[in-house]
Amino acid sequence: MNILMALSQLEVTGAEVYATTVGDELNRRGHQVFYVSDTLTKPHQGEYFKLRFNKRSIPRRFWHVGYLIYLIKKHRIQLVHAHSRASSWSCHVACKLTGTPMITSVHGRQPVHASRKKFHALGDRALAVCEAVRDQLISSLGVAPELIAIGRNGIDTEQYRPVPVPNNDQPVISIIGRLTGPKGDLCYRLLDECLDLEKYRVQIASGSQIPERFERFKDQANFLGYVQDVPALMATSDLVIGAGRVAMESILMERPVFAVGEAQAPGLVTADNLDATMASNFGDIGPKDLDIDFAALPARIAAALNIDYDATALAARVRASYDLTAVADQLEQHYQSVYVHRLRREVPIIMYHRFIRDDSEKGVHGTYMHVNMLEKHFKLLKRLGFETLTFADLAERGMASRLESGKKYIIITVDDGYKDNYELLFPLLKKYGFKSVIYMVTGEQFNRWDVESPDNPEKRVELMSPAQIREMADSGLVEFGGHTLTHPHLNTLDKDAQHHEMAENKAQLEQLLDQKLSSFAYPFGSHNQDSKELAQELGYPFAVATNSGPLAMHEDPYQIRRIAIFPRTDVFGLWRKIRGSYVFRKTKA
């Protein structure tokens, strides 16, 4: 996807570190990330465009909106991700005018006033960095709870490894953060009221210019300016004072952290208070703007330098909550949901069964397609510029890759594995350069499940031979998926019987093909929770149903919805079904 990260800042902030960290991870996954902001200090991949969001006059805001529209159109931006109030306001308007999906990460407590309540400007979804932000958005601004999710800061945990305890001749306390705004006020009070600058060696790392009021501390504290290698600074510290990312990163290095932020002072972070401390983003957000007993802090800081606790266990819990890979996974989920539901467009997954040459091969059930019509379908797909995906492609490249900018993807699936798939489908796949997924029954030689149906028996149709299956798989045009041994209604079987049907089928196909299977199809589309759990336990990344499941395929990879193709589905009918919005219109109707 093409993603625009929008920030408004004049110096390094936690929001910038978050945006560039997850942005680099998204780039690594194949997305294309762009940035727009007043400044951008952190190293990053992707183009950066300067836009002075902090100039907030009415003419300036019109200019911001116009420039954003230009960027969205020029770079085919598919989703805008804003990270501040100033940028989100302009992005919200630009996205409304262009129909572009938008997400806002809310990194701090929001001002409460009438205009903010009426015009949240958060886009399609808000990602609150902690529970305190989420609660304030709901209680103070009236944002609907269903529009908010928790979106933790993502940390590249490999950059922050445990370090030995430093051998300092006197305790070294590092304060990391801005010297302007509320954080600057906090730092000033810590230096003025809470820290014995003769007893401790205090060092302050900040990208801010040193304000005049801090001049009085220069002889007693070390103002380091902007520090590129923050982990090295933390490694020399006996205690780190900070909030948000500063606290998380220090914990990962197993250095003691005294959490104090713009709202609260949770104090030394231990296993006992970690959950509550995370909920406030390590002190940065609370029910009030400032709720700190500064008179009590000197004793609490002194005690923090002497308390023993299990730093390794604490670091493991923080790593699990803020690991960059997990956070990026969640972010991709939000991006896909917002994109698909906002545009009401999903990659079509069409479902065939068998193919015939003439009317004599027609069946009782409507699961056949004349090969001449199949070729017309393929001609239409080629004319419309569709490219085919398989579930093996999605397993390798990630589910979000289906939304790649400038691409029109479709997934062609074929159930049961009839001999005519080899004889009629396979030549057309080669002719048009298309790929398909065939779900293969392995415990039968013909369609016994239909032939022996007491209510509506079908004519006998042969399944493919092992040699035919291998030849199709070796071509690179066909992915084979599991479809049970005997094609039963899985929801009528107990879990052990389902396991036998699914596991044996998978083992037989993987032995035949000498490769892992990527997807499974529930016969008749019939399944229950046991079926879905078994598909996952057996190692399938995906499982497909028929006409059930979420409208966005990534929202339940074990109940992916498909679009059935019937004998009467002509070229116009296929065009209607592959437009991307078909399942949205169908379910609404």
Side-chain angles (χ1 to χ4, degrees):
M1 297 181 70
N2 289 355
I3 301 154
L4 180 65
M5 298 283 187
L7 305 99
S8 58
Q9 55 192 41
L10 301 175
E11 54 190 310
V12 179
T13 64
E16 177 183 339
V17 178
Y18 168 85
T20 54
T21 300
V22 298
D24 284 352
E25 173 64 16
L26 292 170
N27 271 309
R28 189 191 67 77
R29 297 181 180 206
H31 301 281
Q32 191 167 7
V33 180
F34 303 84
Y35 299 88
V36 59
S37 178
D38 297 69
T39 62
L40 198 65
T41 303
K42 297 294 291 183
H44 60 277
Q45 301 171 24
E47 287 188 72
Y48 158 62
F49 306 98
K50 187 178 183 65
L51 186 60
R52 296 179 177 178
F53 284 116
N54 276 287
K55 304 290 186 180
R56 304 186 192 187
S57 67
I58 296 299
R60 279 281 188 175
R61 289 199 170 189
F62 276 113
W63 163 248
H64 298 161
V65 171
Y67 188 64
L68 287 167
I69 292 173
Y70 163 76
L71 291 177
I72 289 169
K73 291 184 176 181
K74 179 178 180 180
H75 297 285
R76 297 191 296 184
I77 299 298
Q78 296 169 274
L79 182 138
V80 173
H81 187 163
H83 295 271
S84 65
R85 290 190 301 275
S87 65
S88 70
W89 191 98
S90 299
C91 289
H92 183 86
V93 176
C95 287
K96 284 289 185 182
L97 293 173
T98 58
T100 306
M102 174 184 165
I103 279 177
T104 298
S105 280
V106 185
H107 294 268
R109 184 177 173 82
Q110 301 295 290
V112 179
H113 45 73
S115 63
R116 186 66 171 163
K117 288 182 178 181
K118 290 184 179 295
F119 190 64
H120 301 141
L122 296 174
D124 300 287
R125 183 166 301 179
L127 302 181
V129 296
C130 66
E131 289 77 0
V133 170
R134 177 197 62 196
D135 296 345
Q136 195 234 349
L137 289 173
I138 295 170
S139 62
S140 299
L141 293 179
V143 180
E146 61 270 20
L147 297 180
I148 308 172
I150 299 296
R152 304 283 188 202
N153 277 307
I155 299 176
D156 184 355
T157 55
E158 294 303 313
Q159 292 186 23
Y160 302 92
R161 311 304 298 175
V163 294
V165 176
N167 185 25
N168 296 319
D169 55 357
Q170 69 179 122
V172 173
I173 297 178
S174 297
I175 303 173
I176 303 173
R178 299 192 301 276
L179 298 181
T180 57
K183 278 191 167 56
D185 296 339
L186 174 63
C187 182
Y188 185 87
R189 294 192 68 175
L190 288 172
L191 295 174
D192 189 43
E193 304 173 33
C194 306
L195 294 172
D196 187 334
L197 300 181
E198 294 183 357
K199 181 179 178 181
Y200 307 128
R201 194 159 78 241
V202 178
Q203 49 191 15
I204 301 100
S206 174
S208 308
Q209 292 290 326
I210 302 176
E212 185 177 349
R213 60 176 172 166
F214 284 90
E215 293 291 332
R216 56 184 288 242
F217 302 116
K218 274 193 167 182
D219 293 337
Q220 296 173 288
N222 187 12
F223 289 84
L224 303 174
Y226 176 70
V227 174
Q228 187 71 42
D229 191 353
V230 174
L233 172 66
M234 292 175 172
T236 67
S237 306
D238 294 286
L239 185 68
V240 174
I241 295 179
R245 292 183 67 91
V246 170
M248 305 166 209
E249 293 165 358
S250 187
I251 290 170
L252 290 170
M253 297 184 67
E254 299 186 12
R255 303 309 308 128
V257 174
F258 193 92
V260 55
E262 297 178 27
Q264 298 176 344
L268 181 70
V269 183
T270 66
D272 293 335
N273 67 3
L274 178 62
D275 288 341
T277 305
M278 285 171 53
S280 69
N281 202 28
F282 296 87
D284 254 355
I285 301 105
K288 294 187 289 186
D289 286 334
L290 188 65
D291 187 21
I292 299 175
D293 181 1
F294 284 91
L297 289 188
R300 294 177 65 192
I301 291 170
L305 287 162
N306 297 292
I307 295 175
D308 290 327
Y309 63 95
D310 190 345
T312 301
L314 187 66
R317 288 178 60 186
V318 168
R319 184 171 290 108
S321 298
Y322 297 96
D323 176 70
L324 178 59
T325 299
V327 168
D329 286 345
Q330 294 169 0
L331 196 55
E332 279 191 319
Q333 289 289 107
H334 292 304
Y335 285 174
Q336 294 172 77
S337 291
V338 166
Y339 183 85
V340 170
H341 289 292
R342 171 70 182 277
L343 301 181
R344 294 174 59 82
R345 188 181 306 145
E346 180 55 283
V347 169
I349 307 173
I350 56 177
M351 175 180 62
Y352 298 96
H353 285 77
R354 66 185 188 90
F355 307 98
I356 64 172
R357 300 175 183 83
D358 55 56
D359 288 353
S360 68
E361 297 176 298
K362 286 183 178 180
V364 176
H365 303 161
T367 56
Y368 58 87
M369 169 66 60
H370 197 287
V371 66
N372 291 341
M373 182 57 69
L374 177 64
E375 182 159 19
K376 290 179 181 178
H377 285 186
F378 282 10
K379 285 181 178 178
L380 175 67
L381 296 180
K382 184 66 75 173
R383 187 179 305 120
L384 294 177
F386 276 98
E387 297 179 46
T388 50
L389 282 175
T390 68
F391 286 102
D393 293 330
L394 294 180
E396 178 184 354
R397 291 152 44 183
M399 185 74 98
S401 65
R402 76 192 192 281
L403 305 178
E404 182 181 355
S405 176
K407 296 287 189 178
K408 291 176 67 174
Y409 285 124
I410 189 169
I411 300 176
I412 300 171
T413 69
V414 188
D415 283 11
D416 304 337
Y418 295 105
K419 187 178 179 181
D420 54 63
N421 291 185
Y422 175 80
E423 296 171 340
L424 303 178
L425 170 68
F426 191 28
L428 290 180
L429 292 177
K430 290 188 280 189
K431 179 177 180 179
Y432 289 92
F434 287 160
K435 296 187 290 187
S436 72
V437 184
I438 297 178
Y439 294 107
M440 191 74 213
V441 173
T442 57
E444 303 286 2
Q445 293 183 334
F446 66 96
N447 56 333
R448 185 190 303 275
W449 58 92
D450 281 338
V451 171
E452 298 181 0
S453 171
D455 300 325
N456 193 20
E458 178 63 277
K459 66 170 57 177
R460 176 177 173 132
V461 184
E462 300 297 318
L463 301 183
M464 282 187 284
S465 69
Q468 291 169 333
I469 294 170
R470 282 195 300 269
E471 183 182 342
M472 294 181 81
D474 289 344
S475 73
L477 298 176
V478 179
E479 170 201 327
F480 280 92
H483 204 40
T484 73
L485 290 172
T486 64
H487 205 283
H489 287 274
L490 288 173
N491 58 353
T492 66
L493 306 180
D494 63 30
K495 192 168 186 178
D496 287 341
Q498 289 193 49
H499 183 274
H500 174 71
E501 284 279 350
M502 297 170 67
E504 286 300 310
N505 169 248
K506 185 172 188 284
Q508 290 174 10
L509 281 171
E510 289 183 342
Q511 182 177 17
L512 174 65
L513 302 174
D514 193 27
Q515 60 183 340
K516 293 291 184 182
L517 302 188
S518 296
S519 60
F520 175 84
Y522 306 110
F524 305 105
S526 302
H527 65 283
N528 55 22
Q529 189 60 33
D530 285 343
S531 317
K532 294 169 68 171
E533 290 174 0
L534 284 168
Q536 186 170 12
E537 290 169 12
L538 290 169
Y540 282 111
F542 309 106
V544 299
T546 51
N547 61 347
S548 68
L551 300 181
M553 71 169 76
H554 68 280
E555 292 178 347
D556 188 346
Y558 295 97
Q559 191 177 352
I560 295 175
R561 181 183 290 265
R562 293 188 289 170
I563 301 169
I565 303 299
F566 300 107
R568 293 187 179 181
T569 305
D570 58 12
V571 173
F572 178 74
L574 179 68
W575 174 78
R576 287 180 58 249
K577 292 186 174 189
I578 62 175
R579 292 177 60 194
S581 60
Y582 176 76
V583 294
F584 293 88
R585 292 183 284 108
K586 181 181 177 184
T587 53
K588 183 178 180 180

